[in-house]
Amino acid sequence: MKRTPLVVANWKMHGQKAWIESFIQSFIGEFCGSRQEQQCEVVLCPPHVFLAQVQALVQSSVVKLGAQNLHSENKGPFTGEVSAPMLQEFGCTHVVVGHSERRTLFGETDSDVAAKFNAACQAGLVPILCVGENAQERQAEVTEVVVQRQLDAVLKQHGIAAFAKAVIAYEPVWAIGTGNTATPAQAQDVHRFIRKYLAGFSRDIAEKVKILYGGSVKADNAIMLAGESDIDGALVGGASMNVKDFLAICAGFSGRQI
């Protein structure tokens, strides 16, 4: 089964207009036209206020635009929120759903995440569904229980067919922004579990769905992570804001086609 690697940059609440212009011009200058362009997909997810700027900068390239969050409703009295149709107007193709920071800092529940996942699908956006355990859950050896619960929230509401046009990102919460990274073997174990679990509903969809790793991904561990059979790319935080490092991560995955 051929799954083209996908690398997603999550800039979180970082960036200024001048930096973004410089970053994208430098990145596109190196990435586009290279071997990596044909062998690795890239999505940039800036803060919402910079979507228009990034849209204009990437529109003539293969680099795609994503958002970091969305509301489950298409419109309404939800001050400060953005909807899937709004994201579409800015050329977004992807949107991150249920990032651990949204779950832990803003109280998003599994049900909330499932509703946002559905809103993205209904609008034709590709949801990047984030799942993963925290340090206490890892220590208690309930990683698979937690991940299955998070997947079930979507499966029970929308069924396995919804994953045919979705991406999953396994992000061990204990590794995000800490400098700690799951070993390739640890990450592969969870990725394999996710694929095997989905295969119980549809083997075809399970084989096709891209499962990314997110948790302190850096240039020096990307190649090792890419070597695992069920790791199809990365959801990158801090390292995605350094052109050299982000290019190296893309290169690490670009040679891998399953």
Side-chain angles (χ1 to χ4, degrees), residues 9 28 47 49 51 67 100 118 121 150 152 182 222 240 246:
I28 286 179
V49 294
L51 286 174
S100 62
N118 183 59
C121 290
Q150 293 167 335
D152 281 343
S240 71
F246 193 54

Side-chain angles (χ1 to χ4, degrees), residues 1-252:
M1 175 60 65
K2 180 179 178 180
R3 296 188 297 270
T4 301
L6 170 65
V7 179
V8 180
N10 176 17
W11 290 344
K12 304 188 180 183
M13 198 174 72
H14 297 290
Q16 296 82 35
K17 291 174 69 175
W19 173 84
I20 287 173
E21 182 173 0
S22 175
F23 178 97
I24 293 178
Q25 288 179 344
S26 296
F27 178 78
I28 286 179
E30 293 287 336
F31 180 78
C32 294
S34 68
R35 181 173 64 89
Q36 287 93 329
E37 180 181 355
Q38 287 77 41
Q39 298 179 330
C40 179
E41 295 181 49
V42 172
V43 177
L44 303 180
C45 297
H48 290 145
V49 294
F50 298 122
L51 286 174
Q53 181 189 12
V54 177
Q55 179 189 26
L57 289 168
V58 304
Q59 63 183 352
S60 60
S61 75
V62 297
V63 176
K64 297 178 181 178
L65 177 61
Q68 299 177 16
N69 186 33
L70 80 165
H71 196 277
S72 58
E73 298 291 336
N74 286 341
K75 60 181 179 180
F78 306 110
T79 300
E81 295 290 329
V82 297
S83 68
M86 293 175 183
L87 297 178
Q88 277 189 311
E89 285 202 36
F90 285 93
C92 288
T93 57
H94 294 66
V95 59
V96 178
V97 175
H99 190 281
S100 62
E101 291 164 358
R102 297 297 313 176
R103 294 177 187 263
T104 59
L105 300 179
F106 299 96
E108 290 188 7
T109 65
D110 291 341
S111 179
D112 294 332
V113 173
K116 292 186 174 190
F117 182 99
N118 183 59
C121 290
Q122 291 298 316
L125 297 172
V126 177
I128 303 171
L129 174 66
C130 297
V131 299
E133 82 285 11
N134 60 34
Q136 292 73 29
E137 291 163 339
R138 163 64 66 167
Q139 292 169 0
E141 300 183 348
V142 294
T143 294
E144 293 183 0
V145 174
V146 172
V147 171
Q148 181 175 325
R149 186 200 75 219
Q150 293 167 335
L151 292 172
D152 281 343
V154 175
L155 286 165
K156 290 177 180 178
Q157 286 197 32
H158 314 300
I160 187 63
F163 285 90
K165 296 183 179 180
V167 171
I168 298 171
Y170 167 58
E171 44 162 20
V173 182
W174 49 271
I176 298 173
T178 64
N180 298 319
T181 307
T183 66
Q186 287 175 321
Q188 168 61 17
D189 284 346
V190 181
H191 283 235
R192 182 191 300 114
F193 166 75
I194 292 171
R195 203 175 303 282
K196 183 178 179 181
Y197 184 65
L198 295 181
F201 299 89
S202 169
R203 184 171 298 277
D204 181 61
I205 290 176
E207 284 298 313
K208 291 179 180 178
V209 67
K210 295 179 184 180
I211 308 175
L212 315 182
Y213 172 75
S216 294
V217 179
K218 297 180 174 63
D220 59 3
N221 60 30
I223 293 177
M224 294 184 293
L225 290 166
E228 300 293 341
S229 61
D230 289 298
I231 300 179
D232 305 315
L235 176 61
V236 189
S240 71
M241 299 189 68
N242 179 290
V243 174
K244 181 179 178 181
D245 289 346
F246 193 54
L247 283 166
I249 291 170
C250 293

